[in-house]
Amino acid sequence: MKKINFDLIKIIISFTLFGLSYLMPNNLKLLFLALSYIIISYEIYRKAIKKMKKGQIFDENFLMILATIGAFIINKQEESVIVILLFQIGEYLSDLAVDNSKKKITDLMDLKIDKIHLKKGKSYEDIEIKNIKIGDVFLVKPGEKIALDGKVIAGKSYVDTSYLTGEVIPKVVEKESEVLSGYINTDSLLEICATSIYETTTAQKIINSIEEAATKKAKAEKFITKFAKIYTPIIVWIAIFLTLIPTLIGLDFNTYLYRSLIFLVTSCPCALVISVPLGYFCGIGRMSHEHILVKGSNELDILDQIEIMALDKTGTLTEGVYEVVEIESSKIEKRELIKLLSYAEYYSTHPIAKTVLNLFPEKIDENKISNFKEISGYGVILQYENQRLIVGNDKLMQQENIIYKKEKKEGTVVYIARENEFLGYIVIADKLKNTAINMIKELRHIGIKEIVILSGDQKEAVKTIGEKLHVDYYKAELLPNEKVREVEKLKEKGMVAFVGDGMNDAPVLSTSNLGISMGMSGSDIAIEASSIVIMKEDLTKINEAIKIARMTKKVVKSNIVFALLTKFIILALSLLGYTTIWLAVFADVGVTLLTILNTLKIMIIKIR
Ligand code: ADP
Ligand code: MG
């Protein structure tokens, strides 16, 4: 912000000097113009010299310098000053927009305060991560991200390191293993002793990644960078020849220098170089303002092209906590069954766990639980006191060779077994989120061709939701890898976005063309695997995201067309000698300003 205020002061001083120069007698006038020029162009010179040292001479700053020095020499000082002045106003506006976007992103990240399960004696307490000190011991549940670097002191589990290392095969960590913040626990509980503290906030990391994301730059941006690299030197050489050749054959040097200066000013690619990246930045900023986190400009491009939406059911289309509609327990008392279920689900982050724990008001004694393991898409297995508990769906019962009776109920059936003995089941009913129906309607309205549900839940539960929402089709009882297979099939028909929340969605979120996750309730592993995170429990935000992406693309495209078109027309005119330097100034900085103003509308236009 400081720098931005300083820029504004420079603009005002330079502009005042420029205005005053008109009131001055001739010799003083030149002094005022020179001062105005130096104040406003100093920064451009500094940038150009810095680039020259790196061996990159030809860029828009260089063109600008060449043209304005030339204009000074041939007595067009006012024009020279106005070019730089307008250019700096453009840069100022664009800095302002970038700053605004960054602030929006930071605000958004502050919404999600990272909590950590700190070990206190024999139990755990959820505290804010910034209060953790080196040496503190914390617990990481399956599906959660390891928030700080540390050393494992208890537990053995598979961790997913792919977001840091790109290595896709999960790594086993156990006592004494070093772990890094950003690893994701996929399997069992881990107790970790912190060896680092929370310094750089996640928000800062994300902002950095958006800023740097050179590798993730959108196609349009890459094109502009390449374009400027080849284009600028060509322009400089043409300008040199345009002055030299006519002079050598005896024509008037000043006339041709003037023409080539016009040519130089006109051909600055400023409008493109500034407005294209700015467009993406404003798009990302606008998304943040609407509680949508986008991890890069490329993601924004892809979102604009999405044709097919695949949706997860539990936790995505339905609420995070449901109602228990039936409890069936023939061997033990119902109260005892609920107690066992609650102990079993205590460490799980799945919506089922939250629901079950709501039924059990007593305090859980963590010492009674050991060897907790969560199997994505199946359920949980653990040791309770000295008995083995198995809680999950029918697939889990089959896998563990439990003799049970399969129930066909409207809802999700959660079975429980102790050792090899089947104890009973509960049925839970999900509730559709109240924004789900509107989201589907709007998705159709804005032209999404196909909408499907891919769920890990049981057929009956998925059928109810699928029919209520009128999706094209729904598939149930899918394991994580089967979700991937389904999406691969959809990808043959077009660009597919997958929306999910759970641990079982992580693989499919990263293999679809675009992963979207529900940030407030979703598991860390799903959030990491996705490109877009919705930071509000409102599904229609997905429609908003698509609309913002489309608007951004439209603005970027129209800026490119407008800038190139004006440029070519005026270039052609100047080659023929039909332009004045004022027209050239318009073609360059005028167009730049107009494209910037056009871009700023991304921040304010109504999208609902
Ligand atoms: P969806 O893919 O629709 O989000 P889920 O996330 O509910 O489906 O996962 C699929 C199934 O795995 C669930 O319906 C449930 O039967 C089982 N499951 C997963 N985690 C648990 C758990 N912690 N306790 C019991 N069952 C579980
Ligand atoms: Mg889910």
Side-chain angles (χ1 to χ4, degrees), residues 312-316 483 501-502 504-505:
D312 164 59
K313 181 188 74 74
T314 319
T316 302
K483 287 194 182 195
D501 72 308
N504 63 340
D505 299 321

Side-chain angles (χ1 to χ4, degrees), residues 86 89-90 93 270-272 274-275 278 555 558-560 562-563 566 585-601:
L86 287 179
I89 292 176
L93 286 177
C270 307
L272 296 178
I274 295 180
S275 78
L278 180 67
V555 167
S558 66
N559 282 345
I560 293 179
F562 174 61
T566 9
V585 169
F586 170 73
D588 179 42
V589 282
V591 170
T592 308
L593 265 179
L594 287 179
T595 52
I596 289 174
L597 290 175
N598 186 39
T599 309
L600 294 184
K601 81 178 181 209

Side-chain angles (χ1 to χ4, degrees), residues 209-219 222 296-299:
S209 80
I210 291 174
E211 274 183 303
E212 296 164 7
T215 47
K216 283 184 142 190
K217 260 196 182 157
K219 271 197 207 117
K222 273 193 215 146
S297 36
N298 203 21
E299 280 69 15

Side-chain angles (χ1 to χ4, degrees), residues 53 74 102 164 184 245 332 359 380 437 443 489 544 577 608:
K53 281 186 188 154
I74 59 161
K102 278 191 200 166
L164 288 185
I184 288 175
I245 294 172
I332 56 176
L359 291 181
V380 297
I437 292 182
L443 282 179
K489 266 194 259 164
E544 260 176 51
R608 284 244 157 201

Side-chain angles (χ1 to χ4, degrees), residues 283-435:
I284 293 171
R286 177 64 190 267
M287 294 264 199
S288 307
H289 182 68
E290 311 294 344
H291 293 89
I292 303 156
L293 191 70
V294 188
K295 292 187 183 166
S297 36
N298 203 21
E299 280 69 15
L300 211 135
D301 260 3
I302 298 172
L303 184 57
D304 168 61
Q305 301 160 22
I306 290 301
E307 303 168 279
I308 302 166
M309 293 286 267
L311 303 149
D312 164 59
K313 181 188 74 74
T314 319
T316 302
L317 290 171
T318 61
E319 304 267 4
V321 179
Y322 346 115
E323 214 183 326
V324 177
V325 287
E326 193 184 333
I327 301 171
E328 174 54 49
S329 176
S330 45
K331 301 214 172 71
I332 56 176
E333 255 190 68
K334 275 189 187 166
R335 260 197 27 226
E336 185 62 17
L337 188 91
I338 290 169
K339 183 178 172 186
L340 291 180
L341 276 169
S342 302
Y343 269 88
E345 296 286 3
Y346 181 68
Y347 285 121
S348 168
T349 51
H350 194 275
I352 290 176
K354 285 181 209 152
T355 312
V356 168
L357 281 156
N358 275 351
L359 291 181
F360 188 70
E362 287 166 45
K363 206 177 157 353
I364 298 279
D365 178 1
E366 286 97 349
N367 296 322
K368 292 185 178 164
I369 309 171
S370 57
N371 292 336
F372 175 82
K373 202 176 176 84
E374 180 148 2
I375 309 150
S376 180
Y378 287 85
V380 297
I381 297 179
L382 66 150
Q383 206 72 23
Y384 168 71
E385 294 186 310
N386 44 19
Q387 296 162 323
R388 189 162 180 262
L389 292 185
I390 302 154
V391 174
N393 51 22
D394 50 338
K395 280 188 199 147
L396 185 64
M397 295 299 128
Q398 282 161 25
Q399 183 186 285
E400 295 297 311
N401 298 321
I402 308 288
I403 301 161
Y404 76 111
K405 192 168 142 276
K406 187 171 171 150
E407 300 293 333
K408 280 215 151 124
K409 300 276 176 179
E410 208 167 287
T412 305
V413 186
V414 180
Y415 302 92
I416 174 164
R418 184 167 56 188
E419 295 297 334
N420 288 323
E421 183 191 23
F422 180 65
L423 292 181
Y425 62 86
I426 59 170
V427 184
I428 18 197
D430 345 31
K431 219 173 92 211
L432 205 56
K433 281 186 188 162
N434 56 14
T435 47

